[in-house]
């Protein structure tokens, strides 16, 4: 009887160990790319298998999603409030509340493609993947800018 109980116990321990969840990796961000104090925006880019991370610093860091290695540091003075990805154009839109503009990054080359001035402090964005329109709400709440992602203009 003791053998059966011990066997059942061991089987349950093995099953528990095999099905448990654990943190696989911790990626240090404020290294040679620097400037990411308090990361608060994370965006996955399927076309390049990259993860874009922004925070209280003045840049966006692109990471390889498979390896966790840093791909690029994208200059974005003024910090980034929020980010959106447009899959048809492989572009990342990042709102700079301080500078009243939207940074446009090419998601494949991880380079700045354009900057789009907006008439408010952009705070929240919503991107329509079908029409290619980016809707940007300001901090004051009384304006909504519509960005045409094809032309990268308001």
């Amino acid at each position: 009887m003791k053998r059966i109980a011990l066997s059942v116990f061991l089987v349950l321990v093995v099953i528990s160990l095999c099905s448990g969840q654990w943190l696989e990796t911790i990626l240090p961000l404020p290294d040679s790319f620097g400037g990411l104090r308090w990361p608060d925006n994370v965006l996955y880019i399927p076309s390049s298998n990259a993860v874009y991370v922004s925070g209280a610093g003045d840049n966006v860091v692109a990471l390889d999603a498979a390896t966790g290695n840093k791909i690029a540091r994208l200059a974005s003075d003024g910090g980034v409030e929020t980010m959106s990805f447009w899959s048809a154009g492989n572009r990342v839109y990042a709102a700079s509340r301080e500078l009243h503009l939207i940074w446009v990054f090419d998601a494949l080359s991880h380079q700045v493609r354009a900057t789009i001035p907006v008439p408010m402090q952009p705070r929240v964005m919503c991107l329509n993947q079908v029409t290619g329109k980016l809707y940007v709400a300001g901090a004051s709440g009384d304006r909504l800018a519509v960005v045409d992602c094809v032309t990268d203009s308001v």
Side-chain angles (χ1 to χ4, degrees):
M1 186 67 164
K2 288 183 181 182
R3 254 189 209 177
I4 294 172
L6 182 59
S7 297
V8 169
F9 174 76
L10 290 176
V11 167
L12 291 175
V13 167
V14 169
I15 290 172
S16 175
L17 290 174
C18 291
S19 66
Q21 295 179 351
W22 57 89
L23 182 63
E24 293 181 22
T25 282
I26 295 176
L27 304 173
L29 295 173
D31 60 3
S32 62
F33 286 95
L36 279 181
R37 301 164 298 182
W38 311 294
D40 58 4
N41 292 295
V42 179
L43 184 66
Y44 175 68
I45 314 300
S47 58
S48 59
N49 197 31
V51 176
Y52 277 42
V53 183
S54 69
D58 291 337
N59 59 55
V60 175
V61 173
L63 306 170
D64 183 309
T67 65
N69 293 330
K70 280 65 172 185
I71 299 170
R73 177 181 171 270
L74 298 95
S76 54
D77 298 336
V80 169
E81 184 77 16
T82 186
M83 296 185 290
S84 292
F85 173 65
W86 183 41
S87 58
N90 278 312
R91 297 179 199 155
V92 174
Y93 292 84
S96 173
R97 188 170 165 185
E98 184 179 317
L99 298 178
H100 298 240
L101 61 80
I102 307 294
W103 292 92
V104 183
F105 302 118
D106 183 289
L108 296 176
S109 68
H110 311 293
Q111 299 293 317
V112 175
R113 176 185 167 90
T115 56
I116 305 168
V118 290
M120 84 278 279
Q121 292 178 318
R123 186 163 182 215
V124 179
M125 298 188 304
C126 177
L127 201 148
N128 183 325
Q129 295 288 337
V130 176
T131 64
K133 302 291 185 197
L134 177 70
Y135 299 92
V136 184
S140 62
D142 63 350
R143 294 183 178 181
L144 185 68
V146 181
V147 174
D148 183 348
C149 295
V150 174
T151 62
D152 287 333
S153 62
V154 178

